[in-house]
Amino acid sequence: MPGEAAEYHSIQLIRDEFLMNVQKFTSHIQRTVQQLEGEIKLEMPTISVEGEVSDLAADPETVEILEQCVINWLNQISSAVEAQLKKTPQGKGPLAEIEFWRERSATLSALHEQTKLPVVRKVLDVIRESDSMLVANLQPVFTELFKFHTEASDNVRFLSTVERYFKNITHGSGFNVVLDTIPSMMSALRMVWIISRHYNRDERMIPLMERIAWEIAERVCRVVNLRTLFKESRASAQNKTSDARNTLKLWKKAYFDTRAKIEASGREARWEFDRKRLFERTDYMAAICQDLCDVLQIEVLVIEKEAKNFIDESFKTLRSAEAAFDMLLKFKHIRSREAVNRQMMMKFNDILAQYCKEIDIINKIFVQNLENPPLYKNHPPVAGAIYWERSLFFRIKHTILRFQEVQEILDSDQGQEVKQKYLEVGKRMKEYEDRKYEQWMEATEQALPALMKKSLLTKSSTAAEEPSTLERGAVFAINFSPALREIINETKYLEQLGFAVPELARNVALQEDKFLRYTDGIQRMLDHYHTLIGTLNEAESVLLNDHSQELLRVFRSGYKRLNWNSLGIGDYITWCKQAIGKFESLVHQIHKNADDISSRLALIESTNLFKYPAAKSEEELPGVKEFFEHIERERARDVEHMVRWYLAIGPLLTKVEGLVVHTNTGKAPRLASYYEYWEKKIYEVLTKLILKNLQSFNSLILGNVPLFQTETILTAPEIILHPNTNEIDKMCFQCVRNCVEITKHFVRWMNGSCIECPPQKGEEEEVVIINFYSDISLNPQIVEQAVMIPQNVHRILINLMKYLQKWKRYRPLWKLDKAIVMEKFAAKRPPCVAYDEKLQFYSKITYEVMRHPLIKDEHCIRLQLGPLANTVQENAKSWVISLGKLLNESAREELYNLHEEMEVLNRCV
């Protein structure tokens, strides 16, 4: 009834008013207690301050104690003020701002009241009377405290006038309270803006207005909850959205009405606040509330019509009959419009039609893949095919079982047709399953006994010569048939599918772990064997033939006697591993000795047989004789080392003999081929050693770096090298020959042994030592290199002799008889000019000779021309001296003749 509603509304208002007053009274009590007790208490002096101020100020000790007390007060007050300035309101609503200023006012009021205490006043008077330096610091701190205390108190006083409105907005019982509050609140805020000394600035008023806008928006969000709005009655939802929209619009309207009044008055500061901060969110929410009002006012029949159309369209494109059936069942239990539910229940025929399509699709997949069905990973062919067939059948069976939950679906004519089609497809699939199973049973019962009787191993050969070689080249493979693995897998999966399997197949399948263990052990054993055999070369295979045969005798039962029914497979694997381990130990010892021999042969092969001396300086190289003698000395030293390494091979082979045949004769028949193998290796190493060194030395000979030097001397009437070309050719040839002849130090072994051949008597009782020289010296490549090196040296010497041809133009200096030439020249009684020409000619030769290069590098040889140049210069100088003597004698004779003539003339006068 309207009267009852008004009375109820009045009671709610009284209740809200009472609760807000109680809350306000409680807050006042708390603040009063806080002010009385004080959060921060100033520490009082520990001494008595009774007496006159002047007397206390005259006592230094008293003043010092009181100064320390004042310092503590100043620190406490400064810390408290700083802490308050750092605090911010705890919340986003307007009430949080009021509580913020009340808390600050309470804290600062407590401090301010303490500064008025008689004891504090008297202490401050004593400090001022004593002219303490603290007086200058007192006023700023107390002024600041008073300023912030006054600000907080004013703000609390003025904000208290609007606190009731803020509480109505926050805690009011409904939007009607908020709608009544907003205009009055705006008028109160206008008064605060006019009267307050602190809330008359934008930086204070805008944040407060923003908090009010936030609180109104949050109130709307709490009431208009989209998760629950449409579950309520339409009238209730309409009222909520309408009141929320009106509240949001009234907030903006009240603001602009108050702003207009302020502007009309002309005396107050204008409200030029940021509208985006105040109204962006509330305007958006008002628009949403308007949309919700519009939605709630639409005609229900239109929604029903749209819902029916949506249902019809959805069932035209069904993707799954089961999913559609589930949806229908859910609608059956959902409270909805009767027309919508009736429309949904009419769609069972569409679901049956969709189910028929699904049966046809499944049947098509079944027929297309009948002969080659897709299998899951690790599934065997028969069980995998049955798994595939059952998965197809389950897809149609599961749906029809769901249909039985609504019996009237299958009782209809279309339902009976669907049921018949389902049974026909199911029958074909069952026949396929039975046929597959029967075929497997027949094949398994025939093949399994034969597969279990197969030997453990199969043996093949990589060689086809004599029987011993055939055995050595044997390659073994595990003979566990893939068909047997398949039968085990089929048995496991078919039993999981519920089929009965043959007893033998079940027993074999139960032993799967044991067979896996056996096959894994045999495979690792065979891998070990084949890896070990692969490390043997042909000579080692022949050497270890008897031991290989012994190992094969252990293997033989694996491919002759034992099969997969045998009980001794585990023992067989153990015996084989033991035999392989014993054989491997012997192979490792033989390989160790072979590595020792190979390391010695590598040392021999890497020896440098042409270690030439280093240059004495950049300009001076070793002479020819010194060069080749140094090579021979170094070579002799290296040959001693090589022979020692060579002699160590025999004892190593004797050690191998002890390992293989347990003797140490050095001539065991069983090792004859092994001795021959290593003797060939030694021959190859010595051949490579000689050929590599000759090639390397030939490269040095033809290189552009000089290795040794020769001098040029004058042996009238010829210019020759020292040593001469023939001597250099001989030294080079002998050096090359000695390089090849070092192989004479490596004595050959007696046939079928590793023992050196003793010296043999040749023709005319000549002692003959059988060594590698006779074979290596005939090697075509070595012969070619041995001939090429002296030829290259000879060509270099010829080029040097050709270079010396230009020095032959000075041959007249030493070829002509100086005395005869001087006598003939003097007989002609030449003038001084002729003497001058001759002297200039020979002096020029003296200067010109020293300008020639005194060093000539030709590949490996450096030609020193200094001695020849000095000799030519000395010859030229001797000609100059002879001409000087002749000129002196001629001049003296002319002078004497002139003197005699002058004497004669003097006497005549």
Side-chain angles (χ1 to χ4, degrees):
M1 297 293 292
E4 293 178 356
E7 184 180 357
Y8 175 74
H9 180 65
S10 177
I11 292 172
Q12 279 190 323
L13 290 176
I14 295 171
R15 182 201 64 184
D16 293 344
E17 184 73 19
F18 175 74
L19 290 175
M20 285 188 288
N21 288 331
V22 170
Q23 185 177 7
K24 184 176 181 180
F25 177 71
T26 304
S27 299
H28 281 301
I29 294 294
Q30 290 175 347
R31 284 194 295 275
T32 303
V33 172
Q34 184 178 0
Q35 289 176 351
L36 291 174
E37 294 181 351
E39 289 185 351
I40 302 172
K41 292 184 179 181
L42 298 179
E43 298 179 4
M44 295 297 111
T46 57
I47 62 174
S48 175
V49 292
E50 297 295 332
E52 294 296 328
V53 172
S54 57
D55 294 338
L56 294 172
D59 185 358
E61 293 183 2
T62 301
V63 171
E64 183 180 356
I65 293 173
L66 296 181
E67 282 182 342
Q68 185 60 48
C69 184
V70 171
I71 291 172
N72 292 339
W73 291 349
L74 296 178
N75 290 336
Q76 284 181 287
I77 293 170
S78 298
S79 299
V81 171
E82 184 178 353
Q84 288 299 317
L85 293 178
K86 289 181 179 178
K87 289 184 178 180
T88 57
Q90 301 299 307
K92 295 183 178 181
L95 290 175
E97 185 152 352
I98 297 177
E99 289 303 316
F100 167 74
W101 287 113
R102 279 180 178 154
E103 181 183 352
R104 177 178 289 188
S105 176
T107 302
L108 298 182
S109 293
L111 280 173
H112 187 261
E113 293 299 323
Q114 291 181 70
T115 62
K116 296 178 181 179
L117 293 174
V119 175
V120 176
R121 289 297 180 186
K122 190 165 187 178
V123 170
L124 295 177
D125 291 340
V126 172
I127 294 299
R128 293 188 185 96
E129 182 70 22
S130 66
D131 292 332
S132 173
M133 295 177 64
L134 290 176
V135 175
N137 297 331
L138 287 173
Q139 194 60 35
V141 174
F142 280 93
T143 300
E144 186 181 50
L145 174 61
F146 178 74
K147 182 184 75 171
F148 288 119
H149 166 249
T150 302
E151 179 189 18
S153 299
D154 286 350
N155 288 345
V156 170
R157 185 169 68 254
F158 285 108
L159 290 177
S160 296
T161 62
V162 293
E163 182 177 13
R164 177 180 179 180
Y165 305 121
F166 293 166
K167 288 182 177 179
N168 284 341
I169 291 174
T170 306
H171 304 296
S173 59
F175 280 123
N176 55 338
V177 177
V178 178
L179 289 168
D180 294 340
T181 300
I182 289 176
S184 303
M185 178 186 67
M186 278 298 179
S187 298
L189 288 173
R190 177 188 175 190
M191 295 304 297
V192 171
W193 174 260
I194 296 170
I195 300 171
S196 174
R197 289 180 295 174
H198 304 286
Y199 272 88
N200 58 353
R201 302 191 302 272
D202 290 1
E203 56 268 22
R204 282 284 170 81
M205 186 58 78
I206 291 178
L208 179 61
M209 299 283 260
E210 193 173 5
R211 288 175 177 276
I212 297 170
W214 180 87
E215 192 64 62
I216 293 173
E218 287 299 309
R219 182 70 183 266
V220 170
C221 287
R222 289 195 299 270
V223 175
V224 184
N225 187 349
L226 294 179
R227 295 179 181 275
T228 60
L229 183 66
F230 291 100
K231 295 180 180 179
E232 302 176 14
S233 65
R234 187 171 60 155
S236 174
Q238 283 180 327
N239 289 334
K240 283 185 177 181
T241 54
S242 177
D243 290 345
R245 177 198 61 196
N246 295 336
T247 301
L248 293 167
K249 288 185 176 182
L250 180 61
W251 154 245
K252 186 173 184 181
K253 180 179 181 299
Y255 166 80
F256 281 105
D257 289 346
T258 305
R259 181 174 180 269
K261 291 177 182 179
I262 292 173
E263 291 178 355
S265 68
R267 299 188 305 273
E268 305 162 18
R270 299 179 62 183
W271 280 6
E272 296 293 344
F273 302 152
D274 187 348
R275 299 182 186 180
K276 183 176 181 181
R277 292 173 64 179
L278 300 184
F279 305 115
E280 181 180 29
R281 186 183 180 195
T282 55
D283 286 350
Y284 171 75
M285 294 177 69
I288 296 299
C289 289
Q290 182 63 54
D291 292 341
L292 291 173
C293 288
D294 294 341
V295 169
L296 291 168
Q297 290 174 0
I298 294 175
E299 207 56 56
V300 176
L301 294 177
V302 175
I303 297 176
E304 288 184 354
K305 183 178 179 181
E306 292 295 330
K308 290 179 180 179
N309 291 336
F310 174 75
I311 293 170
D312 292 340
E313 292 298 323
S314 298
F315 276 87
K316 288 180 181 178
T317 56
L318 290 177
R319 292 191 299 173
S320 168
E322 184 180 2
F325 181 76
D326 288 338
M327 184 174 66
L328 285 180
L329 291 184
K330 289 177 182 177
F331 265 94
K332 190 174 181 181
H333 301 291
I334 292 176
R335 284 184 58 194
S336 181
R337 304 288 298 173
E338 182 63 28
V340 174
N341 286 338
R342 195 163 50 249
Q343 186 74 11
M344 290 293 292
M345 293 302 107
M346 292 170 61
K347 296 303 175 182
F348 282 123
N349 289 337
D350 292 339
I351 293 174
L352 291 174
Q354 174 63 26
Y355 181 61
C356 282
K357 293 179 183 177
E358 292 176 5
I359 292 176
D360 293 336
I361 292 171
I362 294 296
N363 186 53
K364 182 179 180 182
I365 294 173
F366 175 71
V367 172
Q368 288 178 344
N369 298 280
L370 199 61
E371 301 301 326
N372 188 22
L375 304 179
Y376 289 109
K377 187 178 180 180
N378 299 327
H379 271 193
V382 176
I386 295 174
Y387 264 103
W388 167 75
E389 170 265 321
R390 287 194 177 181
S391 68
L392 293 178
F393 180 69
F394 179 78
R395 285 162 66 179
I396 59 176
K397 179 181 178 182
H398 179 71
T399 304
I400 203 166
L401 289 177
R402 294 295 312 280
F403 289 170
Q404 291 179 359
E405 297 177 17
V406 182
Q407 191 60 38
E408 58 266 24
I409 295 179
L410 296 177
D411 290 342
S412 65
D413 294 340
Q414 189 174 359
Q416 291 295 324
E417 294 177 5
V418 168
K419 191 174 181 179
Q420 184 62 32
K421 179 178 286 191
Y422 161 76
L423 293 174
E424 291 175 358
V425 173
K427 181 180 179 182
R428 284 196 293 271
M429 290 184 174
K430 187 65 172 64
E431 291 173 352
Y432 171 80
E433 179 180 307
D434 294 341
R435 185 169 66 253
K436 281 284 184 181
Y437 168 68
E438 291 170 0
Q439 291 173 352
W440 177 81
M441 285 286 290
E442 183 180 355
T444 299
E445 289 174 348
Q446 292 178 357
L448 186 56
L451 292 174
M452 291 297 294
K453 291 180 181 178
K454 284 192 174 183
S455 61
L456 302 182
L457 304 177
T458 59
K459 185 185 73 169
S460 59
S461 177
T462 58
E465 294 90 3
E466 58 188 20
S468 61
T469 306
L470 179 67
E471 291 294 329
R472 284 199 307 273
V475 176
F476 297 96
I478 189 168
N479 194 25
F480 194 80
S481 174
L484 185 55
R485 295 180 189 273
E486 185 178 296
I487 288 174
I488 292 174
N489 286 335
E490 294 282 11
T491 302
K492 290 193 303 180
Y493 283 106
L494 287 173
E495 280 199 316
Q496 292 176 7
L497 290 169
F499 289 99
V501 296
E503 190 64 27
L504 179 59
R506 180 184 291 107
N507 291 336
V508 171
L510 291 174
Q511 300 179 70
E512 181 185 15
D513 291 340
K514 182 178 73 173
F515 287 133
L516 288 175
R517 190 167 62 253
Y518 286 162
T519 54
D520 183 61
I522 294 172
Q523 189 60 55
R524 282 191 278 112
M525 177 263 292
L526 292 179
D527 292 341
H528 188 188
Y529 166 74
H530 291 137
T531 302
L532 186 61
I533 293 299
T535 63
L536 302 179
N537 57 36
E538 185 176 354
E540 290 168 342
S541 297
V542 175
L543 174 67
L544 296 173
N545 182 54
D546 289 348
H547 295 273
S548 300
Q549 293 297 324
E550 181 63 29
L551 183 59
L552 292 176
R553 277 193 288 274
V554 178
F555 277 28
R556 185 169 289 116
S557 59
Y559 59 87
K560 292 289 186 182
R561 181 173 56 84
L562 294 176
N563 57 42
W564 296 105
N565 288 318
S566 302
L567 299 178
I569 298 177
D571 294 336
Y572 170 73
I573 296 172
T574 302
W575 296 334
C576 289
K577 286 182 178 178
Q578 291 174 350
I580 293 171
K582 182 179 178 182
F583 185 71
E584 182 181 30
S585 176
L586 177 60
V587 169
H588 284 173
Q589 293 182 69
I590 291 173
H591 281 168
K592 183 179 181 302
N593 285 280
D595 291 341
D596 291 342
I597 297 173
S598 297
S599 65
R600 285 163 173 76
L601 292 179
L603 290 172
I604 293 173
E605 185 178 348
S606 62
T607 302
N608 182 4
L609 299 177
F610 290 94
K611 293 180 180 176
Y612 55 87
K616 298 177 181 179
S617 66
E618 291 185 2
E619 299 296 331
E620 186 178 3
L621 295 175
V624 180
K625 187 174 181 182
E626 181 185 357
F627 177 80
F628 286 107
E629 286 179 351
H630 183 277
I631 289 177
E632 293 297 340
R633 283 196 305 273
E634 293 295 324
R635 183 184 293 157
R637 189 179 298 112
D638 289 337
V639 168
E640 290 180 6
H641 295 305
M642 290 192 293
V643 170
R644 282 201 297 272
W645 295 331
Y646 171 70
L647 294 177
I649 295 175
L652 289 172
L653 291 175
T654 303
K655 188 175 179 182
V656 172
E657 178 187 345
L659 293 170
V660 177
V661 296
H662 310 295
T663 60
N664 58 354
T665 61
K667 53 181 179 179
R670 288 267 299 281
L671 272 74
S673 61
Y674 199 59
Y675 298 144
E676 182 181 353
Y677 167 78
W678 282 111
E679 196 167 21
K680 288 181 180 178
K681 284 283 186 184
I682 295 167
Y683 169 76
E684 292 172 0
V685 165
L686 292 175
T687 302
K688 291 178 182 178
L689 168 70
I690 301 302
L691 183 60
K692 181 181 66 175
N693 275 277
L694 291 177
Q695 291 172 340
S696 176
F697 187 60
N698 190 35
S699 299
L700 290 172
I701 293 296
L702 297 177
N704 294 322
V705 179
L707 303 176
F708 55 88
Q709 67 182 22
T710 181
E711 296 180 349
T712 308
I713 60 174
L714 177 62
T715 302
E718 297 296 333
I719 299 173
I720 62 172
L721 300 179
H722 180 72
N724 60 40
T725 55
N726 289 334
E727 290 176 341
I728 295 174
D729 284 339
K730 287 179 181 178
M731 284 188 281
C732 179
F733 178 78
Q734 188 61 41
C735 183
V736 172
R737 181 175 180 179
N738 290 344
C739 173
V740 179
E741 288 183 350
I742 66 145
T743 54
K744 291 181 179 180
H745 296 275
F746 298 89
V747 181
R748 298 287 294 270
W749 296 336
M750 291 189 292
N751 187 31
S753 74
C754 61
I755 302 172
E756 291 186 352
C757 292
Q760 305 293 317
K761 289 185 179 181
E763 298 178 358
E764 300 180 358
E765 299 298 321
E766 179 185 2
V767 177
V768 178
I769 297 177
I770 301 175
N771 49 49
F772 286 95
Y773 175 76
S774 57
D775 294 323
I776 292 175
S777 61
L778 299 178
N779 185 288
Q781 290 179 298
I782 292 176
V783 172
E784 180 184 2
Q785 290 293 324
V787 173
M788 188 185 301
I789 293 172
Q791 288 177 349
N792 290 335
V793 172
H794 186 72
R795 277 194 290 270
I796 294 171
L797 293 173
I798 290 174
N799 292 338
L800 289 175
M801 292 305 297
K802 288 179 180 179
Y803 176 76
L804 292 175
Q805 291 297 321
K806 63 182 180 179
W807 287 82
K808 289 187 177 181
R809 61 194 175 109
Y810 301 119
R811 289 178 65 181
L813 293 176
W814 60 81
K815 189 173 183 181
L816 299 176
D817 190 329
K818 193 185 305 176
I820 296 174
V821 172
M822 290 295 108
E823 184 179 349
K824 288 182 179 179
F825 181 71
K828 295 179 181 178
R829 301 185 68 80
C832 289
V833 175
Y835 277 102
D836 184 61
E837 289 177 357
K838 289 287 187 180
L839 287 171
Q840 289 291 335
F841 172 73
Y842 289 116
S843 297
K844 184 179 178 182
I845 290 176
T846 303
Y847 174 73
E848 184 183 78
V849 165
M850 299 312 294
R851 293 185 62 188
H852 285 300
L854 300 181
I855 293 176
K856 167 63 177 174
D857 290 340
E858 185 73 20
H859 293 291
C860 65
I861 301 177
R862 171 169 290 175
L863 184 61
Q864 291 286 358
L865 297 168
L868 176 60
N870 291 332
T871 302
V872 172
Q873 189 179 47
E874 289 173 1
N875 275 277
K877 287 180 179 180
S878 67
W879 280 93
V880 170
I881 293 171
S882 297
L883 283 171
K885 288 179 180 180
L886 186 60
L887 178 59
N888 186 33
E889 291 174 359
S890 174
R892 186 182 295 114
E893 184 179 352
E894 289 291 334
L895 184 60
Y896 286 155
N897 290 337
L898 180 60
H899 185 268
E900 289 177 356
E901 288 180 2
M902 289 178 69
E903 286 293 330
V904 172
L905 290 173
N906 189 34
R907 283 195 298 268
C908 289
V909 172

